[in-house]
Amino acid sequence: MKTRVLIVDDEPIARRGIRRYLAEHNGIEIAGEAANGISAVEQINELHPDIVFLDVQMPDLDGFGVIENVEPVNGPAPIYIFVTAHDVHAIRAFEVHAVDYLLKPYDKERFAKALVHARQVLEQRREANRDLEPLLQSLRSLRPLERFVVKDNKRIFFVPVSNVLWIEATGNYACIHTASDSHLLRETLAHLEEKLAPHQFVRVRKSAIVNGACISEIRPMFDGVYDIVLAGGTVVTSSRRYAHKLRALLES
Amino acid sequence: MSFTGMLTYWLVVGLYQSIHYYHAAMERQTIAAQLEMQLSHAELENLKSQLHPHFLFNSLHTIGILMQEDVDAASHLLVSLGDLLRMALERRENEITLQSELEFVGKYLEIELTRFHDRLKVHMDVPPDPLEVYVPSLALQPLVENAIKHGFSVDSAAGRLEIAAKLHNGRVRLCVRDDGPGPAPGSRLRFGVGLTNVQSRLKQLYGDGASLELTGGDGRGCEAIITIPLRSSH
């Protein structure tokens, strides 16, 4: 099984250096490269690398910001090796569980040490996970989503699920509505419904999920269709097909 | 008073006096040591503010990697870094010509351009007439370093650096502008160690005749301007 590596540094020459040193090791696959923090977060979430070589000082989001914002949905968190020119960050790096800390300038022997160590940790983790993974998977699906990760052009931020009044499907996207804002998520409504707590969020029609805690009024219309009035006055109409879910919420 | 009484009295007085003098001497020594420490600390801070360890170690790393790709490029960069260090270490004069200061900034930028060649663009707008005027040594470089640190290095959309110098109303005006995120709306701009050093040196050299200003651009970028009285010798 190949070790998949992501290289994160804002200096192209530094990235080339890591590629060069990696080429001397067997079983390595370079999953990608990132030149800033936001691109690093996106690539970690999408590519699920095993090991990330992570520069600390970077534009947009620094190395610590990257670790804070990563949320790989399926699969374990990657192993981080910090790479930096300055040792003031060392203690903080270990606090966020970096397995090693490469100080620039470093040579290929020091690099190899960090890589070998990271691969050992990875191997141990894989062995432990082999038994635990099915259990972890089911646990993960039991624990409902607590916050949405929203990306816009320049930043990544979080919206607690309790702030969301309702969620609307628009094609392959989902639009979450809070009292003051709306944000697009690149996820299908069906996928979100699986991740949200069923006693808190209820699918009321094919293209809408509402937050049960934010319902202020339910008006029966005709033939099993309801107008659901949310805090703030927004009205979401349910469909007959999903009426049983609404009823289950009312009875719970 | 008996003889023993007298003896005891003088012994006590003598002992008290010696303790007093001993304390005073110790205090003087402590103050002298403190002053010395402050002085060497100031010198060290000064050197550190001229060349940040972060810059130095990143440059050394770049040379180390280039060495394996392109020996000529590596040796070129090594020479630039050597020149820069020599200039920073040897510089003892308070004022130098703008031309020499620009040479120093040029060496510094040469290294930064090698590290970030695909992102950083530098625009110099310096006509020939101010080149011979005297400016404080190491005044421009901290401004450039500041622009890179707070503009270019924190925002991947930034990449333009402008350096301008001109003579105006008997004064020299040096300006460094970046296109980084600039100050957050409503926040006050504060000087870091580098700019504080520059400001206190301007004060020492010219009193109230010189100034350092830092202003945010219109929603983006930041501009640092040094204004000093015109002198063609020092």
Side-chain angles (χ1 to χ4, degrees):
Chain A
M1 191 172 185
K2 288 209 165 194
T3 307
R4 301 176 66 250
V5 178
L6 181 74
I7 303 170
V8 184
D9 197 306
D10 61 335
E11 295 186 37
I13 295 175
R15 292 199 299 274
R16 291 210 302 267
I18 292 178
R19 266 184 185 273
R20 174 178 287 270
Y21 288 162
L22 283 172
E24 301 191 3
H25 297 264
N26 291 325
I28 297 282
E29 181 195 325
I30 295 173
E33 281 188 14
N36 63 62
I38 289 184
S39 153
V41 171
E42 285 173 356
Q43 295 201 49
I44 294 170
N45 285 345
E46 278 164 30
L47 303 172
H48 310 296
D50 299 311
I51 299 176
V52 179
F53 285 91
L54 186 61
D55 186 13
V56 176
Q57 274 206 337
M58 274 184 303
D60 306 333
L61 195 68
D62 72 6
F64 294 103
V66 169
I67 294 187
E68 272 170 33
N69 284 295
V70 159
E71 281 206 350
V73 253
N74 32 32
I79 287 174
Y80 294 100
I81 298 175
F82 272 70
V83 186
T84 174
H86 215 8
D87 57 2
V88 290
H89 308 295
I91 292 171
R92 243 185 106 197
F94 289 112
E95 277 173 2
V96 294
H97 308 295
V99 302
D100 207 342
Y101 190 85
L102 284 173
L103 265 183
K104 292 178 186 174
Y106 54 82
D107 55 16
K108 60 180 173 191
E109 285 76 22
R110 179 66 187 84
F111 181 88
K113 223 177 196 175
L115 181 66
V116 168
H117 180 205
R119 291 178 99 173
Q120 281 167 355
V121 174
L122 186 69
E123 197 42 49
Q124 285 164 6
R125 197 188 277 181
R126 272 184 184 152
E127 267 167 36
N129 281 359
R130 214 157 284 152
D131 312 325
L132 285 174
E133 195 50 38
L135 193 65
L136 279 175
Q137 282 290 351
S138 58
L139 271 179
R140 224 174 268 140
S141 59
L142 281 178
R143 213 192 71 192
L145 194 68
E146 283 163 1
R147 57 186 190 175
F148 295 103
V149 184
V150 181
K151 275 177 259 181
D152 68 14
N153 293 335
K154 284 250 69 89
R155 61 194 189 115
I156 295 177
F157 56 96
F158 302 109
V159 178
V161 295
S162 55
N163 288 1
V164 173
L165 296 169
W166 69 293
I167 309 168
E168 187 183 13
T170 49
N172 285 328
Y173 290 82
C175 184
I176 56 173
H177 299 282
T178 66
S180 54
D181 274 313
S182 298
H183 308 283
L184 269 189
L185 302 178
R186 214 196 298 174
E187 250 179 305
T188 63
L189 215 56
H191 191 201
L192 279 180
E193 190 188 10
E194 273 174 30
K195 293 202 285 184
L196 289 163
H199 56 274
Q200 194 187 356
F201 284 87
V202 58
R203 185 90 172 254
V204 296
R205 61 164 197 262
K206 192 161 178 283
S207 61
I209 292 176
V210 301
N211 183 346
C214 299
I215 298 177
S216 60
E217 196 184 332
I218 295 177
R219 297 180 191 142
M221 300 308 283
F222 53 88
D223 205 15
V225 172
Y226 296 90
D227 268 357
I228 302 163
V229 186
L230 300 175
T234 307
V235 178
V236 180
T237 307
S238 71
S239 75
R240 204 173 45 181
R241 221 179 106 202
Y242 289 90
H244 65 283
K245 294 204 176 191
L246 192 59
R247 249 175 263 127
L249 178 81
L250 293 175
E251 281 156 17
S252 69
Chain B
M1 203 184 277
S2 70
F3 176 72
T4 15
M6 283 287 279
L7 192 65
T8 316
Y9 172 76
W10 285 114
L11 263 176
V12 169
V13 168
L15 201 62
Y16 176 77
Q17 286 290 359
S18 15
I19 288 172
H20 178 75
Y21 281 119
Y22 176 74
H23 272 298
M26 282 300 282
E27 213 164 285
R28 274 198 301 276
Q29 255 180 17
T30 317
I31 289 172
Q34 270 173 353
L35 280 176
E36 203 168 304
M37 210 170 73
Q38 275 170 5
L39 191 69
S40 44
H41 185 70
E43 276 171 358
L44 189 69
E45 279 308 308
N46 202 25
L47 187 68
K48 265 205 213 158
S49 73
Q50 283 158 18
L51 288 172
H52 283 279
H54 193 265
F55 166 77
L56 194 60
F57 292 127
N58 266 318
S59 304
L60 286 172
H61 185 68
T62 305
I63 293 169
I65 300 298
L66 274 182
M67 235 158 49
Q68 304 170 65
E69 299 179 343
D70 181 347
V71 179
D72 289 339
S75 106
H76 187 77
L77 197 61
L78 190 63
V79 171
S80 297
L81 187 62
D83 285 346
L84 194 72
L85 279 175
R86 191 174 8 260
M87 286 173 171
L89 291 169
E90 282 180 354
R91 209 161 265 199
R92 282 286 168 263
E93 287 151 36
N94 274 324
E95 290 176 284
I96 54 167
T97 60
L98 178 60
Q99 180 143 26
S100 316
E101 179 66 12
L102 283 174
E103 265 171 41
F104 183 74
V105 169
K107 292 281 177 203
Y108 172 77
L109 282 173
E110 207 177 303
I111 297 170
E112 293 290 52
L113 284 167
T114 310
R115 288 173 56 204
F116 300 104
H117 74 283
D118 50 347
R119 275 186 58 211
L120 186 61
K121 299 269 180 296
V122 180
H123 297 263
M124 285 262 193
D125 178 15
V126 184
D129 52 315
L131 286 178
E132 291 309 312
V133 302
Y134 276 79
V135 298
S137 66
L138 295 170
L140 200 53
Q141 189 267 344
L143 267 50
V144 172
E145 186 160 354
N146 198 60
I148 289 182
K149 192 174 161 194
H150 298 291
F152 176 78
S153 293
V154 296
D155 187 344
S156 56
R160 187 185 163 90
L161 187 71
E162 288 174 40
I163 300 170
K166 66 174 179 187
L167 303 180
H168 186 66
N169 286 344
R171 300 165 75 76
V172 189
R173 192 170 179 275
L174 308 174
C175 172
V176 177
R177 193 181 302 128
D178 68 70
D179 67 345
S187 73
R188 282 191 56 211
L189 282 165
R190 282 194 332 182
F191 287 3
V193 183
L195 293 192
T196 308
N197 271 355
V198 171
Q199 196 178 35
S200 62
R201 287 187 52 229
L202 288 177
K203 183 102 185 156
Q204 269 170 10
L205 286 166
Y206 310 100
D208 291 332
S211 67
L212 169 62
E213 286 166 65
L214 191 61
T215 53
D218 300 327
R220 247 195 112 68
C222 200
E223 190 176 47
I225 300 168
I226 291 183
T227 315
I228 51 171
L230 179 60
R231 294 190 202 174
S232 31
S233 65
H234 66 111

